[in-house]
Amino acid sequence: MCSSDLYVPAGVTCYLLNVHGGSTAVAGAITVNRSGNPLTVTAPQVGIGGTFTYISGGSEDHNYRVPISIPGPDFVWLVTRPNAATASTSYGTFEYVQF
């Protein structure tokens, strides 16, 4: 499955397989973050799986050799950050399985 954000229910584990992101004009970076149980308001936001850069007008596709396991309950989302403020459009997704 593909997503840019995901809720992992209690009793389920999500396995992050791949992350993909890029932009139409400006270089930047993509990260996947998690915050733990969404019912806990003090849960910190933590980056998982590394930060990957993409070139101007290009993209980055990273497959994890060993899937990253994220036990639920948890909330997971992708962030793309361009290196400059322009009219460029950033995009991203990640692939996962959960059971």
Side-chain angles (χ1 to χ4, degrees), residues 18-43:
N18 170 284
V19 64
H20 176 83
S23 75
T24 58
V26 177
I30 48 178
T31 59
V32 177
N33 297 325
R34 59 171 289 278
S35 62
N37 187 341
L39 299 176
T40 305
V41 296
T42 58

Side-chain angles (χ1 to χ4, degrees), residues 3-56:
S3 183
S4 60
D5 63 3
L6 166 70
Y7 173 69
V8 183
V12 173
T13 300
C14 174
Y15 297 92
L16 184 61
L17 306 173
N18 170 284
V19 64
H20 176 83
S23 75
T24 58
V26 177
I30 48 178
T31 59
V32 177
N33 297 325
R34 59 171 289 278
S35 62
N37 187 341
L39 299 176
T40 305
V41 296
T42 58
Q45 298 178 11
V46 178
I48 55 174
T51 298
F52 304 98
T53 59
Y54 51 85
I55 62 172
S56 298

Side-chain angles (χ1 to χ4, degrees), residues 2 17-22 30 52-55 58-64 91-95:
C2 293
L17 306 173
N18 170 284
V19 64
H20 176 83
I30 48 178
F52 304 98
T53 59
Y54 51 85
I55 62 172
S59 64
E60 171 65 23
D61 191 39
H62 179 79
N63 294 308
Y64 295 103
Y91 56 88
T93 189
F94 57 86
E95 294 180 38

